[in-house]
PDB file of all heavy atoms in Angstrom:
ATOM      1  N   ALA A1230     105.791  92.427  60.512  1.00 40.00           N
ATOM      2  CA  ALA A1230     104.955  91.614  61.374  1.00 40.00           C
ATOM      3  C   ALA A1230     104.972  92.120  62.792  1.00 40.00           C
ATOM      4  O   ALA A1230     104.001  92.039  63.514  1.00 40.00           O
ATOM      5  CB  ALA A1230     105.428  90.152  61.319  1.00 40.00           C
ATOM      6  N   CYS A1231     106.092  92.687  63.249  1.00 40.00           N
ATOM      7  CA  CYS A1231     106.188  93.197  64.621  1.00 40.00           C
ATOM      8  C   CYS A1231     105.512  94.545  64.762  1.00 40.00           C
ATOM      9  O   CYS A1231     105.105  94.928  65.845  1.00 40.00           O
ATOM     10  CB  CYS A1231     107.656  93.331  65.030  1.00 40.00           C
ATOM     11  SG  CYS A1231     108.497  91.735  65.183  1.00 40.00           S
ATOM     12  N   GLY A1232     105.407  95.312  63.708  1.00 40.00           N
ATOM     13  CA  GLY A1232     104.922  96.676  63.841  1.00 40.00           C
ATOM     14  C   GLY A1232     103.493  96.870  63.421  1.00 40.00           C
ATOM     15  O   GLY A1232     102.927  97.931  63.624  1.00 40.00           O
ATOM     16  N   ASN A1233     102.844  95.893  62.765  1.00 42.00           N
ATOM     17  CA  ASN A1233     101.489  96.066  62.282  1.00 42.00           C
ATOM     18  C   ASN A1233     100.597  94.945  62.796  1.00 42.00           C
ATOM     19  O   ASN A1233     100.974  94.146  63.615  1.00 42.00           O
ATOM     20  CB  ASN A1233     101.485  96.081  60.733  1.00 42.00           C
ATOM     21  CG  ASN A1233     102.272  97.251  60.187  1.00 42.00           C
ATOM     22  OD1 ASN A1233     102.104  98.352  60.665  1.00 42.00           O
ATOM     23  ND2 ASN A1233     103.128  97.007  59.206  1.00 42.00           N
ATOM     24  N   GLY A1234      99.382  94.886  62.203  1.00 42.00           N
ATOM     25  CA  GLY A1234      98.474  93.791  62.542  1.00 42.00           C
ATOM     26  C   GLY A1234      97.869  93.924  63.914  1.00 42.00           C
ATOM     27  O   GLY A1234      97.499  92.953  64.539  1.00 42.00           O
ATOM     28  N   GLY A1235      97.762  95.167  64.488  1.00 41.00           N
ATOM     29  CA  GLY A1235      97.105  95.352  65.779  1.00 41.00           C
ATOM     30  C   GLY A1235      97.988  95.131  66.955  1.00 41.00           C
ATOM     31  O   GLY A1235      97.528  95.129  68.084  1.00 41.00           O
ATOM     32  N   ASP A1236      99.307  94.890  66.756  1.00 41.00           N
ATOM     33  CA  ASP A1236     100.211  94.642  67.877  1.00 41.00           C
ATOM     34  C   ASP A1236     101.030  95.859  68.216  1.00 41.00           C
ATOM     35  O   ASP A1236     102.045  95.758  68.884  1.00 41.00           O
ATOM     36  CB  ASP A1236     101.155  93.470  67.539  1.00 41.00           C
ATOM     37  CG  ASP A1236     100.394  92.175  67.448  1.00 41.00           C
ATOM     38  OD1 ASP A1236      99.355  92.066  68.107  1.00 41.00           O
ATOM     39  OD2 ASP A1236     100.850  91.287  66.719  1.00 41.00           O
ATOM     40  N   THR A1237     100.633  97.045  67.757  1.00 40.00           N
ATOM     41  CA  THR A1237     101.402  98.262  68.052  1.00 40.00           C
ATOM     42  C   THR A1237     101.377  98.555  69.539  1.00 40.00           C
ATOM     43  O   THR A1237     100.322  98.518  70.179  1.00 40.00           O
ATOM     44  CB  THR A1237     100.802  99.447  67.289  1.00 40.00           C
ATOM     45  OG1 THR A1237     100.829  99.136  65.898  1.00 40.00           O
ATOM     46  CG2 THR A1237     101.605 100.711  67.544  1.00 40.00           C
ATOM     47  N   VAL A1238     102.505  98.831  70.141  1.00 39.00           N
ATOM     48  CA  VAL A1238     102.623  99.133  71.573  1.00 39.00           C
ATOM     49  C   VAL A1238     102.573 100.639  71.745  1.00 39.00           C
ATOM     50  O   VAL A1238     103.441 101.348  71.255  1.00 39.00           O
ATOM     51  CB  VAL A1238     103.927  98.571  72.158  1.00 39.00           C
ATOM     52  CG1 VAL A1238     104.033  98.917  73.621  1.00 39.00           C
ATOM     53  CG2 VAL A1238     103.982  97.069  71.937  1.00 39.00           C
ATOM     54  N   SER A1239     101.558 101.136  72.455  1.00 41.00           N
ATOM     55  CA  SER A1239     101.430 102.575  72.675  1.00 41.00           C
ATOM     56  C   SER A1239     102.246 102.996  73.878  1.00 41.00           C
ATOM     57  O   SER A1239     102.663 102.170  74.685  1.00 41.00           O
ATOM     58  CB  SER A1239      99.960 102.941  72.880  1.00 41.00           C
ATOM     59  OG  SER A1239      99.453 102.247  73.998  1.00 41.00           O
ATOM     60  N   ALA A1240     102.424 104.297  74.012  1.00 43.00           N
ATOM     61  CA  ALA A1240     103.184 104.829  75.154  1.00 43.00           C
ATOM     62  C   ALA A1240     102.427 104.568  76.444  1.00 43.00           C
ATOM     63  O   ALA A1240     101.192 104.519  76.461  1.00 43.00           O
ATOM     64  CB  ALA A1240     103.397 106.327  74.954  1.00 43.00           C
ATOM     65  N   PRO A1241     103.127 104.384  77.593  1.00 42.00           N
ATOM     66  CA  PRO A1241     102.442 104.166  78.875  1.00 42.00           C
ATOM     67  C   PRO A1241     101.519 105.324  79.199  1.00 42.00           C
ATOM     68  O   PRO A1241     101.817 106.472  78.915  1.00 42.00           O
ATOM     69  CB  PRO A1241     103.613 104.071  79.878  1.00 42.00           C
ATOM     70  CG  PRO A1241     104.797 103.752  79.046  1.00 42.00           C
ATOM     71  CD  PRO A1241     104.574 104.373  77.715  1.00 42.00           C
ATOM     72  N   GLN A1242     100.381 104.996  79.803  1.00 40.00           N
ATOM     73  CA  GLN A1242      99.430 106.012  80.211  1.00 40.00           C
ATOM     74  C   GLN A1242      99.433 106.150  81.718  1.00 40.00           C
ATOM     75  O   GLN A1242      99.470 105.173  82.431  1.00 40.00           O
ATOM     76  CB  GLN A1242      98.015 105.642  79.750  1.00 40.00           C
ATOM     77  CG  GLN A1242      97.889 105.596  78.217  1.00 40.00           C
ATOM     78  CD  GLN A1242      96.471 105.251  77.807  1.00 40.00           C
ATOM     79  OE1 GLN A1242      95.642 104.989  78.645  1.00 40.00           O
ATOM     80  NE2 GLN A1242      96.218 105.281  76.519  1.00 40.00           N
TER      81      GLN A1242
END
Side-chain angles (χ1 to χ4, degrees):
C1231 293
N1233 297 314
D1236 292 333
T1237 302
V1238 179
S1239 60
Q1242 296 181 356

